[in-house]
Amino acid sequence: MGALERKDFLACIHCGLCLEACPTYRETLDEGESARGRIALLKSLALSELTPDADAARALADCVLCASCQAACPSGIGYEWLMARARTHLGGAQPSGRERRWLRRWWTLFRRPRQLALTLRLVRWAAGTGLAGLGVRLFFPRPHQAHYLDLVASVRASAGQPRRPRVKRRADEAADVLIFAGCVTPVVFPQVLAALESVLKKAGVSCAMPRQQVCCGAIHFHTGDLAGARALARRNIAAFEAAGEGPVVVEAAGCAAALKEYGELLADDPDFAERARAFAARVRDATEYLAALRGPAAPGAAPAETTRVVYQDACHLRHLQGIVDAPRDLLDRLPGVTRMAAAEEDLCCGSGGVFNLLRPSLAARLGERKAEVLAASGAEIAVTTNPGCRVQLEGRLRRRGIGMLHLIEVCDRHWGAPAADR
Amino acid sequence: MNEPLLDALEASVFRPEITPALLERLQRIFGAETLRARPGQLLPYESDAMPLYRRRPGFVLLPADVATAVRAVKVLAQEGIPWAARGAGTGLSGGALAPEGGAVLALSRLRQIVKIDPAARRARVEAGVVNLELDRALAPLGFTFAPDPSSQTASTIGGNLAENAGGPHTLKYGVTSAHVLGARLVLGDGGVIELGGEEETMGGYDLLGLLVGSEGTLGLVTEATVRLTRLPEVTRTFLAIFESVPAACHAVTRVLAAGITPAALEMIDAVVLDTLEAAFRAGFPLDAGSLLVGDLDGDARAVDGELREVERLLGESGAREVRLARDDAEQERLWMARKKAFGALGRVAPNYLSYDAVVPRTRLPEVLDAVAAIAEQSGFRIANIFHAGDGNLHPTVLFDAGDPEQAARARAAGHAILRACLDAEGVLTGEHGIGLAKRAAMREVFTAGELTLMHRLRRIFDPGCQVNPDKLLPEAEEDRASGAEEAGALSPPPFRPPRRTPTGEEARLAEIVRDRMERWDPVTPWGAGTLAVGPARGTPLRTEELRHLLRYDPGDMTVTVEAGVTLAEIDARLARDRQRLAWEAPYPERATIGGIVAAGFWSSRTQSLLHPKHSVLGVRAITGEGELIEFGGRVMKNVTGYDVPKLLIGSRGTLAIVTRLVLRTYPRPRHRAVAVLEGSWSDLQARAAALDAMRERWGTLDLLAGGGQARLIIGCDGRTRGDVEDRAHEIERRLRDAGPGEVERRWCEDEAADEVQRAVLDWIGWERSAVILRIVVSPGAARAVGDRVRALCAEGEPAHWTHRLQFHPGIGLLRVAFDRGFQEAPLRRLLLALAEEVRKVRGHRGLDRAPEDRWLGWDPWGEATELRDRMRKVKITFDPRAILAPWDVEG
């Protein structure tokens, strides 16, 4: 799975059905910023028909990797992998020198869980105290300050949440499910994990969170560090093999999508190929797991009023995992919740992993567009399934008087008392 | 007839280079947001959806709004740079490629829906609005934009207009040309003209009809006014499974012959069924020989009846199984599988060559057989996924262009396919257009004279040869490489031009015209004169010897007639097979079809069938230079070259003498009913308005007034007696709800109903009237205009004139007839007042009959001044010495 060749592009017949699905095309209406345009650029670079230049690099770096083009493509082109490999191997598609240096720091950081947690705690503290906002105003380029301040606001909104203790796995206890917590959620949105445990408890499901887990590697995979992604994958597979055999429930859609692809990621590794496939088969996104649980036996007390919510599709839940209806059904079945309809459901919010850090102007445009559309639905709460989306959107939504919760939190609030028995 | 001078002129047009200085100037004018000039930015614009053709533009402009787009054209004109417009780049003929040394003008940012007017059933949109986005905006209001090409999730209205896009639902609803009623056109020099508006027709020559399908060679369309079609009450989708392709073809013919017009009827053959099923999981059985996917839509009960009948017919034709989609989700899955099928072919092979030929429906089996034989010989898989109902096939050769041997073999297979289609009376392209890909083949289907005619028409709009100059028409030099990438280019062997062999009578008429040309002595083409504006001026050139009904193919639903055949004769022949024309006229025993088409006569039937001009599939005519030209063919869809027939319809013989017509036939409804209501004008207007919302496909409305009386004739038809009864009940219900008071009415059916309709056709009194005015306005303004006209005309009666009114509010058509013996001066004042009323609503008006001395001041065309210059040039193109009825063009 090395350099890109002609045969990697054969599936694209240039039909253009991906155009309207691509968020950067919808924003710019420039063919160069569309999925089809990017495939054309990649192909030309791979076949050496185009000298790598700044424009091609920018157009390719502008890809959010939401994979909505992949979902729309009738030819089944594996766009996500194409771009990942290109960012790793193909000059002209790889991150620029400056970006690469910045990314390297993150790549290394994300491989060291304790240092990462410390850094994120620092960020959270800075957001909560207002220092982060001050830092943005002092050091960040003026045109992008509003965008970064929105991101800080999202973190700040949860800064007051109590840090939850990590559930330790006791050697003599087998848990029903294992939880993959990801990097961001335990520090920035700890309440979501608490809600997950609460919901599982109500449904009579026990859970444990293996301590040896590390970053899922999605960011490495998507930004051009395939080797790093593989290294993390191996560590996670080992950690979860040791921890049990049950389903691996993942709260963050982006992580779930990445974990489900471990089979392909390590397909060329003789030691891990089979183990990776087996692991990937255990992975469940929290939404699909909860949807399958079918709710507790006894519904909670009928609420006095309903909350109007609007569901926001995380791209890696909708386009990569193909989960569209389950979370909506879940919300529809909750008492006390009315689900509002929003336009442009399939359009990315602009979070894209580190995309909203590296590409502030495009990310801001997409974020504002999504926030407007969600606000227009008339909902009071937007419901997300991914911390990345939450960081991108919560600050913006709050400015519009709308709150944001994870789907798990909503379920926790509206599912009743624990069932007497399973 | 050769035009060496024209060729030399074209070849010698100076093309300045795109220099850095020029790019700098553009950067200053447009800014970095709009200009793309560097290789990495330009590469994505090298091709449309047919990547075998690539050409890097010198630069690309992406105007953010209409004003900037107009500015861009002006600047390009000043700089002398040729350009091509681009919508979403989903075209399949290389039409959006930049000309050599030229630029691309991308309109993807012009996405505004300017206005939606449900009452008038019109919408105004910018050229970059995506087809499906328009549908999404219309759906909550109960409307749709009918043309639904498979690319509709990405393609733009501007692109649909440029290519006269088709799609599965054109079978029932017509191609894009039938749904575009107005367009704002920016010409090569930056001037802006408006063609048409909200009305059913534009006044004068149908320049709008010429524009649609002109592949962006006449100018830049920035905005268009489109027709809104009411969403049907129900749509039922079915899937029929056959063991073989011929069986499915025969089934298609049987269904249509039974008088049922499905909304869509598509065929998918076995070659790629496994791929489609893997991609879309729509439930396609992998062992089928072929599949038919179709839609029936309309009122719930009528559709249920049709569905039962269709199931029966499909079964009798050998369908192994007929499945009905049980819900919306299944319906969507089936159609998605069909619409995205082309994209899925990417899973089978890296490249494809797709053809877009249209043949008469009954010849599909033989053509598909030929394609299968070619597949076997060449060793390639050739998939067929196409519009079986229209006879529009898309044989698709799947191969790998990376292997030069394969590429050559695939091209050869493609030529063989095209040859087989053309041999079966086919045309080059039904919806994808000529573009770059099929230019050279144009010499195969058009004579040099016809190509020159099209060149000249183009020059009227683009004298500077800057607007998409290298598309649609072949190169001046034979077989010169076009500069596009040769890989997979469809470069056919030297083609033989076709021969137009005139019949004896055609030769005689042509000789007369040539003789007249020498002597600069005009003639008036003349049929029976029933619809002529006045008595023949100068020498009439009679068409009565052109009196043969040449062929009638009920299975193909086409009839080929000479111009002098009477309408009654055609009707009688068609009636035996339960079919009819879209054309109707008073005095059918005398009126010739050539005359009716030349007059462009339209009336009630347009309400249920679309304007009859869309039923003219082919035309043969003698120009003012005595040359025989032929456009079109015996096929349902055709975008091969310019839509010249549209210019000839309604041209009153001033452009050419039509000698032969190929017309589409339609099922004759088995059961008809008519209600005649008497009452006051205003009361009947109100009731007509209440009926306006009834489904448009089965009803007609005529509001007649004269001599102090008014009458409303309501017609409805149906396939079964039950259908007609249902519709009659609905009419009754709406009439009751429309207002208090009983309105006296009587119903009659079938033959009696036909009698009434015949009488209505000539109620205006074509033979006895001295003056007949024709007023055409937007349906949104029609009611008010009708009231005003009625009031103004009533003021003068009976002192100054007697008059009659015939009004069709739903299509915005109004005719006023005045008997002989009117007083001139008051009538003149009236005409001025009426002209003002029409001008206020931006409609148009003309004379359908006028006294010999045309001093009444209403010119026959009534056309806006800005277009008259171009109309005059069109006239000169066909008739340089003004031999053909020149007095009918000047006013």
Side-chain angles (χ1 to χ4, degrees), chain B residues 140-213:
Chain B
L141 302 166
F143 288 97
T144 179
F145 177 62
D148 65 333
S150 303
S151 60
Q152 66 177 154
T153 49
S155 61
T156 60
I157 300 296
N160 296 158
L161 192 159
E163 302 291 331
N164 196 3
H169 285 75
T170 60
L171 177 59
K172 181 170 179 182
Y173 291 98
V175 291
T176 298
S177 188
H179 298 272
V180 171
L181 298 158
R184 180 166 301 163
L185 184 65
V186 185
L187 302 166
D189 61 5
V192 180
I193 58 176
E194 187 79 38
L195 296 177
E198 293 190 358
E199 303 80 40
E200 281 289 332
T201 61
M202 61 178 279
Y205 299 133
D206 191 1
L207 300 182
L208 185 65
L210 184 72
L211 177 68
V212 179

Side-chain angles (χ1 to χ4, degrees), chain B residues 591-849:
Chain B
T592 65
I593 188 66
I596 296 167
V597 171
F601 180 82
W602 58 299
S603 189
S604 314
R605 202 174 281 175
T606 302
Q607 289 161 108
S608 55
L609 266 186
L610 284 182
H611 196 287
K613 63 182 169 175
H614 299 295
S615 72
V616 176
L617 306 176
V619 158
R620 215 157 121 123
I622 296 169
T623 65
E625 295 180 288
E627 184 174 337
L628 188 62
I629 59 173
E630 186 170 330
F631 287 86
R634 226 167 51 79
V635 290
M636 293 294 114
K637 293 156 70 176
N638 193 355
V639 292
T640 312
Y642 292 122
D643 196 351
V644 171
K646 289 287 189 311
L647 286 177
L648 298 179
I649 300 166
S651 64
R652 292 197 176 270
T654 58
L655 298 178
I657 304 171
V658 171
T659 57
R660 187 187 298 189
L661 290 159
V662 180
L663 300 172
R664 179 174 176 167
T665 64
Y666 297 84
R668 182 185 228 93
R670 269 173 221 210
H671 302 279
R672 290 87 58 205
V674 152
V676 180
L677 280 70
E678 314 234 357
S680 73
W681 171 270
S682 50
D683 188 40
L684 292 176
Q685 265 268 51
R687 293 186 199 263
L691 293 168
D692 198 45
M694 68 187 186
R695 310 288 169 210
E696 278 130 8
R697 310 210 65 74
W698 46 256
T700 61
L701 273 182
D702 289 68
L703 187 49
L704 311 174
Q709 287 186 333
R711 235 178 263 159
L712 181 62
I713 319 288
I714 308 166
C716 67
D717 58 45
R719 200 178 55 88
T720 66
R721 182 154 302 288
D723 289 342
V724 172
E725 278 170 7
D726 284 340
R727 286 159 188 171
H729 284 140
E730 183 172 344
I731 291 169
E732 283 283 334
R733 192 177 51 77
R734 286 175 192 266
L735 288 175
R736 269 196 306 274
D737 295 344
E742 262 300 303
V743 174
E744 194 190 310
R745 59 179 158 285
R746 53 186 175 86
W747 281 93
C748 47
E749 295 178 352
D750 296 337
E751 281 73 33
D754 294 342
E755 266 307 307
V756 172
Q757 295 280 35
R758 263 195 291 277
V760 165
L761 258 179
D762 188 36
W763 190 79
I764 207 82
W766 285 79
E767 303 255 273
R768 61 190 249 231
S769 306
V771 177
I772 302 181
L773 313 175
R774 181 189 67 248
I775 291 173
V776 182
V777 297
S778 160
R783 250 191 101 179
V785 169
D787 284 342
R788 279 297 292 151
V789 170
R790 160 101 170 136
L792 285 170
C793 291
E795 278 171 28
E797 194 179 76
H800 306 300
W801 55 68
T802 51
H803 77 288
R804 286 169 301 285
L805 231 72
Q806 185 159 8
F807 183 34
H808 313 281
I811 49 177
L813 174 64
L814 172 60
R815 285 192 171 98
V816 191
F818 297 88
D819 280 346
R820 280 172 249 279
F822 56 84
Q823 285 194 31
E824 194 186 305
L827 191 65
R828 259 185 157 182
R829 282 196 293 277
L830 171 68
L831 261 54
L832 282 173
L834 291 177
E836 183 55 29
E837 288 301 320
V838 173
R839 198 196 58 78
K840 277 196 280 201
V841 297
R842 284 196 288 271
H844 61 87
R845 73 285 188 292
L847 288 164
D848 277 348
R849 176 138 296 168

Side-chain angles (χ1 to χ4, degrees), chain B residues 11 22 51 62 66 95 146 161 184 251 384 423 446 483 502 508 534 547 586 631 681 740 788 801 844 846 879:
Chain B
L22 166 63
L62 280 148
V66 171
L161 192 159
R184 180 166 301 163
N384 290 297
D423 284 346
F446 288 114
R508 189 185 75 85
R547 51 184 157 78
F631 287 86
W681 171 270
R788 279 297 292 151
W801 55 68
H844 61 87
D879 181 25

Side-chain angles (χ1 to χ4, degrees), chain A residues 47-59:
Chain A
L47 302 181
S48 302
E49 287 171 11
L50 180 74
T51 332
D53 63 7
D55 299 301
R58 205 196 52 247

Side-chain angles (χ1 to χ4, degrees), chain B residues 30 83 88 117 129 131 141 153 174 281 330 346 461 486 520 591 661 768 789 796 818 831:
Chain B
F30 294 106
W83 51 271
D117 187 347
V129 169
N131 184 303
L141 302 166
T153 49
R281 277 186 283 280
E330 211 179 317
F461 296 88
E486 276 302 288
W520 295 82
L661 290 159
R768 61 190 249 231
V789 170
F818 297 88
L831 261 54

